[in-house]
Amino acid sequence: MRPSDLELVAVPGPPALHGTLLLTAVATPDLGGNTYRSALWRAHPDGGPARQWTHGERDSAPAISPDGRWVAFLRAEDKGRPQLHVMPADGGDARRITDLPLGAGAPVWAPDSRRIAFTARLPEPGRYGTPGEDGEVVEPDAEAPRRITRYDYRLDNVGFLRDRPSRLFVVDATDPGEPEPLTDDRADVSDPAWLPDGSALLVVAPREWGTTDTGESDLYRVPAGGGEPVLVVRTAGSAAKPAVFDDGTVYYYGAEFTWPHAVARNPGVWAAELPADGEPAKPRRLTDAESVYCAADVPPARFRDQVLVAVLNRGAVELRGVPRDADRVPLDGLDRLLGDRCAVRSFAVHGERIAAVVARPDSSGDVVLLDGAGQRVLTDFSEPLRGKGIRPAEELTATAPDGYPVHGWLVRPDGDGPHPVLLVVHGGPFAAYDWGLFDEAQVYASAGYAVVMGNPRGSAGYGESHGQAIVHGLGTVDVDDVLALLDAALAREDLDASRVGVMGGSYGGFMTTWLAAHHGSRFRAAWSERAVNAWDSFTGSSDIGWYFSAAYVGADPVVQRDRSPLTYAHQIGIPFAVVHSEHDWRCPVEQAQRLFVELKRNGAAVEMLLFPGEGHELSRSGKPRHRLQRFASILEWWSRHLS
């Protein structure tokens, strides 16, 4: 896979299923237009090739009405914002339903197949290209100053929040008119879910309806015709993606925590009986907190007498069935429907059929159908990539010095070797590499590098205690784990232990700088990207730093300096690349600048690469040309230092 083959990476979104109508939005980078294209595709449960179903520039988020007659979806044209559209399920022209200044969120059909709920950010007058009270539209740098009173006033890859809160809307698809928000501007709301009788919706909102500085969230009921929100479920910490079943029980994802120590907590499935009035419901956790990590990309779904969820387990993302009467059931007590050496990205249920989008080592995602006839793969969106020679991901295990087992993968180039080696550390840290196709590993392997990547302590999917192991211990056992995995790979004769580089982004960038400072003799060079290098300034400059630093490292300035790679920059003697995006709000660019200046002052062989107009997600969803240029820069760097 070459860098320019990014255009062949087709990523399907969550499926929509009703009878034989099965839709998914498939997105691909467009290097020529420097944008992303997406269209709705139809897969056929009863056989036949998948076909492109819509032909907009950026169509996404399909939702089929309960009666099966209509399809709602989002469409963005030219450089415009995504707007809600509706079209007949049997084909025909799409009608635009909204014209909101910042676009609309994913549609959610009401039980009556007529009304559609969604959330949308509504800007203050005079901001983001909207007319002010005097009717004038001003440029962004001429807007009035923002008055900020909360910690959580901005978010990477989104922007400022309090001057454009996310609000709930309901629109009549047959007679839309001008939609009016059902919620006020005090709270950002998300994840609308209809009650079975269509009288109201549930939304996720910050605790106390946004009046307190906290990362906790609860479930509120909002009347579909307008009215005050009512707290109906007080969570044990957080809520996401609620789904209300026919009996009035709400199921949602949530994690238990005491604010602000909200890191490395396994999200699980919770249930609550919605109260008719009075006190909020007390939820119960269905899945075990230690062993079950639920991936919250789509709401839980009912299938027979179970609740379907996707569970991250040792690099696999598995489709699991949770008994509806479960009480903190461990992982081995959940039925596994799908998930052998693959990653279930999303799923949908209708009747006795389940449609899932599944990624594998040679696929960024395809639609799989499970029904009475068994399991069938209905699409082959990654077929053009496989023609480029996708290299297999080999499972790799090791043992850390303290006897702890470590798990990961090795992607080797073609040929006998000995091959130069890249140790690639993921971000998070409470995240994980999985069995889905990883474009970066494929590009590096195709260029001749063996890629070692693993899930050390601190990662998700190996038990909550695995993730908690580095809380107040970053740069300790996680370092032991990645080095043990590297040693296990280097024991192979076709890998060259004298030519090893280390690289990573975000937490992986932290690890890269730390490893270069403390274990630099093991590496020829380092590539540290969008990294955390200094916890003191991260605390006040990052969009999450106000709680993340104290939770993971501690609030003591002495401890923060001790755990900061910047403190040890004088120990770095290998060629070092500092790579960052100018608009990164997760790990702000000052983290790169401080490290670059310190290394430069120390006489290190250091270079800094800055990407304009990009945020923290450059490598995954940045402008396609910047992603291509990033790959070219990485390969040029390693060609210089590992040749």
Side-chain angles (χ1 to χ4, degrees):
M1 179 179 176
R2 300 171 184 267
S4 59
D5 293 330
L6 272 175
E7 288 192 310
L8 303 179
V9 179
V11 180
L17 174 65
H18 189 286
T20 60
L21 182 59
L22 174 52
L23 303 173
T24 183
V26 181
T28 54
D30 174 11
L31 292 171
N34 201 25
T35 186
Y36 291 84
R37 306 284 181 184
S38 59
L40 305 190
W41 283 66
R42 181 174 184 178
H44 296 278
D46 299 324
R51 302 287 187 188
Q52 187 172 338
W53 203 65
T54 65
H55 296 271
E57 291 184 22
R58 294 189 302 281
D59 293 347
S60 63
I64 306 171
S65 61
D67 63 7
R69 296 178 57 203
W70 304 98
V71 175
F73 64 99
L74 299 179
R75 169 170 287 175
E77 298 172 327
D78 297 324
K79 295 184 179 180
R81 306 284 187 165
Q83 303 292 346
L84 181 60
H85 287 66
V86 173
M87 66 184 295
D90 57 1
D93 293 334
R95 290 184 297 113
R96 190 170 72 178
I97 302 296
T98 63
D99 189 16
L100 295 164
L102 300 183
V108 182
W109 283 99
D112 60 15
S113 296
R114 182 172 56 86
R115 294 169 295 165
I116 301 172
F118 61 93
T119 59
R121 293 200 173 275
L122 204 59
E124 291 177 356
R127 296 199 189 277
Y128 305 104
T130 61
E133 294 180 357
D134 58 0
E136 184 181 2
V137 176
V138 299
E139 295 297 318
D141 59 2
E143 291 180 2
R146 292 177 173 86
R147 180 173 177 267
I148 294 167
T149 60
R150 297 174 56 93
Y151 291 125
D152 56 344
Y153 64 93
R154 63 176 187 166
L155 188 64
D156 183 76
N157 223 36
V158 176
F160 290 100
L161 303 175
R162 298 298 157 184
D163 57 6
R164 47 174 176 178
S166 178
R167 301 168 74 174
L168 176 67
F169 291 80
V170 171
V171 64
D172 188 326
T174 63
D175 185 19
E178 187 72 24
E180 293 292 333
L182 298 184
T183 55
D184 58 36
D185 60 1
R186 293 176 296 164
D188 260 348
V189 303
S190 63
D191 301 341
W194 286 92
L195 268 60
D197 63 4
S199 64
L201 299 101
L202 297 187
V203 294
V204 175
R207 181 147 296 171
E208 307 302 340
W209 200 248
T211 59
T212 61
D213 267 330
T214 176
E216 295 159 305
S217 55
D218 296 310
L219 294 177
Y220 289 80
R221 181 173 58 228
V222 180
E228 286 296 311
V230 176
L231 175 66
V232 291
V233 179
R234 172 78 75 174
T235 73
S238 65
K241 303 291 185 184
V244 187
F245 290 8
D246 291 342
D247 62 359
T249 304
V250 57
Y251 297 86
Y252 66 93
Y253 304 115
E256 294 165 285
F257 57 81
T258 302
W259 190 254
H261 303 291
V263 293
R265 300 291 183 183
N266 274 350
V269 183
W270 295 72
E273 311 298 325
L274 293 179
D277 50 35
E279 293 297 314
K282 293 182 178 180
R284 57 186 176 88
R285 186 165 188 151
L286 276 62
T287 54
D288 173 49
E290 168 59 28
S291 61
V292 181
Y293 178 108
C294 291
D297 293 331
V298 295
R302 182 174 183 175
F303 182 67
R304 298 172 182 165
D305 60 348
Q306 295 182 323
V307 181
L308 291 191
V309 296
V311 175
L312 178 60
N313 177 31
R314 291 184 56 80
V317 185
E318 305 166 336
L319 188 63
R320 295 268 186 164
V322 183
R324 295 180 64 187
D325 60 354
D327 182 13
R328 296 181 179 261
V329 175
L331 181 66
D332 59 11
L334 307 179
D335 289 342
R336 191 178 79 162
L337 288 75
L338 185 62
D340 183 29
R341 294 180 174 239
C342 67
V344 176
R345 302 295 187 209
S346 53
F347 58 89
V349 178
H350 186 252
E352 292 294 303
R353 281 178 161 170
I354 303 169
V357 170
V358 181
R360 301 186 186 277
D362 63 348
S363 168
S364 52
D366 278 298
V367 178
V368 175
L369 187 73
L370 289 79
D371 59 12
Q375 180 186 133
R376 288 165 288 154
V377 180
L378 303 182
T379 63
D380 195 6
F381 296 126
S382 294
E383 187 275 333
L385 261 184
R386 278 191 290 276
K388 299 294 181 177
I390 295 299
R391 303 299 301 160
E394 306 170 49
E395 217 164 354
L396 189 63
T397 60
T399 303
D402 62 357
Y404 196 84
V406 191
H407 180 235
W409 292 266
L410 173 65
V411 180
R412 289 187 290 176
D414 197 10
D416 296 332
H419 307 292
V421 180
L422 296 178
L423 174 63
V424 186
V425 187
H426 68 64
F430 199 50
Y433 288 125
D434 64 32
W435 280 103
L437 183 143
F438 184 33
D439 61 341
E440 296 199 35
Q442 293 299 326
V443 168
Y444 307 151
S446 293
Y449 303 98
V451 181
V452 179
M453 50 189 190
N455 292 329
R457 273 171 279 190
S459 305
Y462 297 78
E464 188 172 271
S465 57
H466 182 93
Q468 289 277 314
I470 62 168
V471 172
H472 292 193
L474 289 166
T476 59
V477 294
D478 46 355
V479 168
D480 293 340
D481 289 357
V482 296
L483 291 180
L485 206 64
L486 176 61
D487 285 337
L490 293 177
R492 301 178 182 233
E493 293 183 356
D494 60 344
L495 270 59
D496 188 347
S498 69
R499 291 186 294 157
V500 181
V502 59
M503 64 185 299
S506 195
Y507 161 75
F510 162 92
M511 287 283 280
T512 297
T513 314
W514 190 273
L515 286 165
H518 293 85
H519 302 274
S521 62
R522 302 199 54 163
F523 305 102
R524 286 269 194 99
W527 177 280
S528 177
E529 196 164 0
R530 59 184 186 276
V532 180
N533 294 309
W535 292 107
D536 55 353
S537 56
F538 181 85
T539 299
S541 61
S542 168
D543 61 344
I544 63 172
W546 55 281
Y547 73 87
F548 191 92
S549 300
Y552 259 114
V553 182
D556 186 338
V558 174
V559 175
Q560 288 193 355
R561 283 194 294 273
D562 180 64
R563 292 291 98 190
S564 294
L566 183 67
T567 301
Y568 308 98
H570 64 280
Q571 299 175 190
I572 296 177
I574 59 176
F576 200 97
V578 180
V579 186
H580 226 91
S581 296
E582 290 184 351
H583 293 175
D584 190 334
W585 285 1
R586 181 59 41 84
C587 297
V589 69
E590 55 88 14
Q591 294 282 314
Q593 294 164 332
R594 293 183 69 185
L595 181 63
F596 172 74
V597 168
E598 190 66 19
L599 290 172
K600 191 78 172 171
R601 288 170 58 185
N602 294 337
V606 60
E607 300 176 14
M608 184 162 63
L609 191 65
L610 286 179
F611 286 89
E614 298 289 356
H616 196 66
E617 298 300 309
L618 163 63
S619 65
R620 294 176 283 265
S621 59
K623 296 180 182 66
R625 288 179 194 167
H626 276 160
R627 292 178 65 185
L628 182 64
Q629 291 162 352
R630 172 182 173 271
F631 270 144
S633 299
I634 290 171
L635 295 181
E636 189 275 335
W637 174 262
W638 293 124
S639 176
R640 262 195 281 158
H641 298 293
L642 294 185
S643 62

